[in-house]
Amino acid sequence: MRIVIVGPGAIGCLYAAFLSKSGQEIWLMDKNNERAAKINQQGITVEGLSGNLQARVKTSADVKEIGSADLIIICVKSYDTKETIKQARPLIGDNTNILTLQNGIGNIEIIQEVAGPDKVIGGVTNLGATLIDIGHVRHAGKGETVIGRIDGKIPVEMRFIRETFNKVGLEARISRDIKGLLWSKLIINVGINALTAITRLNNGRLVEFEGMRKILREAVTEATRVAKRKRIKLIYDDPLAKVEAVCEATATNVSSMLQDVLRKKRTEIDFINGVIVRQGQELGILVPVNSILVDLVKTIEASYNLAVEK
Ligand code: PAF
């Protein structure tokens, strides 16, 4: 099986390094030629929870060099999904499956628009990873990868993906309700990501300040109302308790959105709190806290290069 991982960020590099031990043909696709050449030459270095691992992974920016794939794993930032899937079109053959392991809501639909409804598999990864340098990643958090199709069907290829992941130590399982899982993760991100990006605090600190805890709770309550109206079945009973527990369990984490802000990069706010704002407005549910969080994060993004005038 030819597996192409698209996106050389922390998660893309981590999956590529693990899957390089699978016995399958593994490629990493990077839109940046120079970076692709560097990873191709130096390989991927993983440190942290899984020990030190050095993996050689064929890396290219040229879809023609890679050829048609059996499985494409999309690991790019959500705002790049549309462009990425268009570029990756030559990799998609009649029997190609496309698995998205991205944050937020909306990626499955964007990929389906280009690739068709039957090829797309949703995924939630609970692995924690931080990119230290090009092709160099720290494995910072253990967790399972859950995959599933929106229609709940489990074709044989999905079992093969699960087995391939499990074989290399990427703990994986299949769910018939991937939407519920994606929304369950979304609500955690809604509570943590924007607030850490605005305050520049580690996840655990959010629950130490009464004011932060209050805003977190309000953002999560709004998101839960939206999910409830959409009849999404969350995988936990008490969303507030769950988000606070995740803050504590990942206390020293620098959230992915804070990492983006610290690197002065665009964030995934539109696919996280932005989803709650758009869907809340469509459903007539008040979402003022999420709306403010979106505006604040967008202001931070837009003002990266403005110096304080004294
Ligand atoms: O986006 C992230 O950083 C993670 O999903 C989470 C759970 C907030 C932990 O840092």
Side-chain angles (χ1 to χ4, degrees), residues 167-288:
K167 192 173 148 192
V168 297
L170 292 166
E171 207 188 314
R173 70 178 171 89
I174 294 173
S175 165
R176 284 192 190 273
D177 183 18
I178 197 70
K179 206 170 187 178
L181 273 146
L182 284 164
W183 272 80
S184 300
K185 184 163 185 205
L186 174 77
I187 287 180
I188 293 169
N189 289 139
V190 160
I192 300 177
N193 289 39
L195 280 176
T196 50
I198 294 162
T199 58
R200 302 189 173 215
L201 292 171
N202 292 95
N203 296 356
R205 295 271 181 226
L206 290 182
V207 286
E208 288 177 14
F209 298 94
E210 204 33 54
M212 275 307 97
R213 203 174 189 144
K214 195 168 153 238
I215 303 172
L216 182 153
R217 291 179 144 250
E218 282 169 11
V220 169
T221 303
E222 288 176 8
T224 308
R225 277 192 204 119
V226 174
K228 204 168 173 188
R229 180 75 67 82
K230 290 176 69 64
R231 297 180 191 278
I232 307 277
K233 201 171 169 319
L234 299 177
I235 58 167
Y236 37 74
D237 293 331
D238 185 344
L240 293 173
K242 178 67 188 177
V243 179
E244 292 189 355
V246 173
C247 284
E248 274 153 23
T250 62
T252 57
N253 266 37
V254 177
S255 80
S256 53
M257 197 174 286
L258 176 52
Q259 288 183 43
D260 289 337
V261 165
L262 294 174
R263 289 199 200 104
K264 297 189 172 183
K265 281 182 61 186
R266 186 172 168 191
T267 74
E268 295 184 297
I269 191 77
D270 284 331
F271 291 81
I272 299 178
N273 304 74
V275 171
I276 304 305
V277 173
R278 289 192 300 278
Q279 304 215 359
Q281 282 164 354
E282 270 170 33
L283 295 166
I285 296 171
L286 294 176
V287 285

Side-chain angles (χ1 to χ4, degrees), residues 36-219:
K38 194 167 177 191
I39 300 176
N40 199 36
Q41 202 188 8
Q42 296 181 353
I44 297 173
T45 306
V46 179
E47 60 173 60
L49 286 179
S50 43
N52 290 338
L53 170 72
Q54 183 67 33
R56 308 273 340 169
V57 178
K58 287 188 271 186
T59 307
S60 178
D62 180 3
V63 278
K64 288 197 202 93
E65 188 191 354
I66 301 172
S68 163
D70 299 295
L71 173 65
I72 300 172
I73 306 178
I74 308 284
C75 300
V76 299
K77 292 284 186 186
S78 300
Y79 49 78
D80 274 337
T81 305
K82 201 173 197 159
E83 214 35 57
T84 300
I85 198 69
K86 280 187 196 159
Q87 280 165 4
R89 213 184 241 141
L91 303 177
I92 307 171
D94 289 346
N95 300 315
T96 307
N97 282 289
I98 306 167
L99 167 65
T100 150
L101 291 180
Q102 300 162 279
N103 259 342
I105 297 288
N107 292 298
I108 293 179
E109 294 75 5
I110 295 172
I111 300 169
Q112 279 178 330
E113 266 173 39
V114 175
D118 294 333
K119 294 189 179 301
V120 189
I121 302 170
V124 173
T125 173
N126 293 308
L127 285 182
T130 312
L131 195 67
I132 298 169
D133 202 348
I134 295 173
H136 186 175
V137 63
R138 182 178 303 123
H139 182 186
K142 284 200 171 156
E144 59 176 8
T145 305
V146 189
I147 62 174
R149 282 171 48 128
I150 284 291
D151 59 13
K153 287 184 190 158
I154 307 181
V156 65
E157 307 89 274
M158 244 163 67
R159 297 184 206 276
F160 188 71
I161 297 169
R162 178 188 59 194
E163 258 105 74
T164 306
F165 280 19
N166 277 321
K167 192 173 148 192
V168 297
L170 292 166
E171 207 188 314
R173 70 178 171 89
I174 294 173
S175 165
R176 284 192 190 273
D177 183 18
I178 197 70
K179 206 170 187 178
L181 273 146
L182 284 164
W183 272 80
S184 300
K185 184 163 185 205
L186 174 77
I187 287 180
I188 293 169
N189 289 139
V190 160
I192 300 177
N193 289 39
L195 280 176
T196 50
I198 294 162
T199 58
R200 302 189 173 215
L201 292 171
N202 292 95
N203 296 356
R205 295 271 181 226
L206 290 182
V207 286
E208 288 177 14
F209 298 94
E210 204 33 54
M212 275 307 97
R213 203 174 189 144
K214 195 168 153 238
I215 303 172
L216 182 153
R217 291 179 144 250
E218 282 169 11

